[in-house]
Amino acid sequence: MAHESILIVDDNAANLKLARVLLTNAGYDVRCAENGEQALEILQSSKPALILMDIQMPGMDGLELTRRLRANPETAHTLIVALTAYATKADEEKAREAGCDGYITKPINTREFVQHIREYLGGQSAPGGQTGKPSGDPNDLLRELRNSFIADGEESSARIADTDPMRFDVAALCRIVHHWAGIGGTLGFPEVTAHAHELETLLHEQPVAWQHRAAAGFTAMRRLFKDALSAESQVTGASGLFAELVGKQIAILGFDAQEAERVRGAFDQVGAVTRDLGALAGGLGSDALLPHDLIVLNACTQAGVGCWDSVQAQPVFEKPLLIVSSRSALLDSRLAFAERAVDFVLTPWDAEELLFRAQRAIHDRHAPRAAAPPPRAQKRSVLIADDDPVIHSLLIPMLNKLGVDCYSAHDGREALDVIRNLGPDAVILDIGMPRVSGLSVLTEIRKTQQNHTLPILMLTARQQRSDVNMALGFGASDYITKPFDPEDVVVRITRLLSGYQGAGPQA
């Protein structure tokens, strides 16, 4: 099979970098162009199997470039997939009329993006099934892009907000808000994307007194970026965030050399000592595990499953076990990961999330695990308490497919009423809700004796570790951060329903 190559044409540097890393990590040969002219120059000497085409570009836009390529016999049959921040039926029709073979909406879903590309290429994986050497980890890259995005956004929005609205350069502002709309959601800032879309519509339509509305809109964007910058600095700048990991001995099992190095690098940053015991999997004994404060086991590989068999064969010992796993492996009853693991991290894993879960596992090493409840004739039930209707529409169908009944609450008081009157078996609870906050709801729940062991999964808006620590301290069983994959929530709530109660209320 010929080596699959992809050309990405996008004037947004952050989009280019993110898409390039995701595709390069999947084994594709990736080239990039920042505008139509660069793309035409590259195509004179390169024949990619697929072109990812941003529709909204200054100068020659993606639609015009696509028409040119379709008119050229040498590129007439090249796969071209549109990339755009717009998502209306009319936009899709315009892309197809210009000659695009497909359509991917920005912000891209980092979990599904590569699979979409494979499907466009006929379901093929990367050439020869090889993954190639990654040029960087996409999860750590997301943090880098996120920091840059919110810093640049705060600076740009502040400058625009201080400009006389009667002197606005509409074309320049359209490019800026288009950039915000296209990448904000991918980087974990859906509010930025939503407000940017509103501003972009306003700038295009220019109704009566639009300048003053636009000025107010950029002031609001400045507040969003400023709040995001403050929250991000709390996460990345907290010197004592992982203090409990300093000097701890970490055993890692089932990782290949590249992943083991990445795990080791993460723990090295916080002063923990990592030892790779993967080579001992065939005859792993308790002597090898005893010196360590935590075992991190990769359940995504055959080597990891072999290590798991060795761990299971040992007598029960007081060592917390943290699993790095796919969803399917975690829920595989034959492996019984959930019964022995204190916690788990789903792939693709983020370095900061791994460290936070590791610290929690060591801190809660003696946390009791409730036995799995006996089978019940009636269905299990879950309360979803979140003021965002999208969250309900995402989670309810997936939980219903598992035979779980769902109740909905859109504010804190409504959530407390449902818990009091209907008695759900578990709660998915957003921290930031109107009227009564999620943390207040959590403390009210735990005041009642019969609710001391009610499983509660907290949702946080972003990775604000202070909120997570507070929620766990008040008695939350687990947490997950937005934006999230709905399947990840289902995995965690399924585990909680099966009987694992976390640490419970802490003194």
Side-chain angles (χ1 to χ4, degrees), residues 8 15-25 30 32 135:
I8 308 171
N15 282 335
L16 274 177
K17 188 172 184 179
L18 178 59
R20 183 179 67 242
V21 168
L22 291 171
L23 293 172
T24 301
N25 284 357
V30 180
C32 298
S135 60

Side-chain angles (χ1 to χ4, degrees), residues 219-418:
T219 299
M221 292 295 297
R222 181 182 185 181
R223 285 196 297 269
L224 285 177
F225 281 118
K226 191 172 183 179
D227 290 346
L229 191 62
S230 174
E232 203 72 15
S233 65
Q234 290 176 18
V235 172
T236 58
S239 58
L241 188 62
F242 302 112
E244 292 187 47
L245 290 176
V246 176
K248 292 296 188 293
Q249 304 289 317
I250 313 296
I252 62 175
L253 301 168
F255 292 90
D256 61 28
Q258 181 175 295
E259 281 285 277
E261 184 61 31
R262 195 180 151 221
V263 174
R264 186 178 296 109
F267 282 105
D268 283 350
Q269 292 179 22
V270 296
V273 180
T274 309
R275 184 185 179 200
D276 186 358
L277 300 183
L280 305 177
L284 191 63
S286 57
D287 289 346
L289 298 171
L290 283 175
H292 298 92
D293 300 288
L294 175 70
I295 303 167
V296 180
L297 187 144
N298 181 15
C300 299
T301 64
Q302 284 299 114
V305 174
C307 291
W308 173 248
D309 291 338
S310 295
V311 169
Q312 281 192 307
Q314 304 307 316
V316 176
F317 52 84
E318 293 296 321
K319 296 293 176 184
L321 177 66
L322 178 65
I323 299 290
V324 175
S325 176
S326 64
R327 302 182 195 96
S328 57
L330 190 72
L331 296 177
D332 190 335
S333 59
R334 295 169 300 174
L335 298 175
F337 289 146
E339 295 179 10
R340 291 288 298 273
V342 173
D343 205 346
F344 62 92
V345 177
L346 290 173
T347 56
W349 57 272
D350 172 88
E352 185 177 279
E353 178 73 359
L354 177 72
L355 293 174
F356 191 82
R357 295 276 178 185
Q359 179 165 270
R360 183 189 177 208
I362 292 175
H363 179 80
D364 297 338
R365 60 185 300 172
H366 300 299
R369 294 179 182 82
R376 295 175 15 163
Q378 67 269 34
K379 287 184 177 180
R380 310 288 283 177
S381 61
V382 171
L383 166 63
I384 303 171
D386 196 301
D387 61 314
D388 185 351
V390 175
I391 300 298
H392 297 261
S393 64
L394 288 172
L395 296 180
I396 289 175
M398 300 187 73
L399 289 168
N400 287 162
K401 285 182 180 179
L402 297 176
V404 176
D405 284 335
C406 294
Y407 307 126
S408 289
H410 297 86
D411 62 55
R413 292 179 183 173
E414 190 179 352
L416 289 172
D417 288 341
V418 172

Side-chain angles (χ1 to χ4, degrees), residues 41 55 74 172 223 266 279 312 362-363 425 429 442 451 458:
E41 184 176 344
I55 297 303
E74 295 186 1
R223 285 196 297 269
Q312 281 192 307
I362 292 175
H363 179 80
D425 297 298
L429 180 61
L442 176 62
N451 290 331
M458 300 298 295

Side-chain angles (χ1 to χ4, degrees), residues 163-180:
T163 300
D164 181 353
M166 304 308 294
R167 302 178 61 183
F168 277 163
D169 183 339
V170 175
L173 295 183
C174 283
R175 288 194 295 272
I176 291 171
V177 296
H178 179 74
H179 165 59
W180 292 343

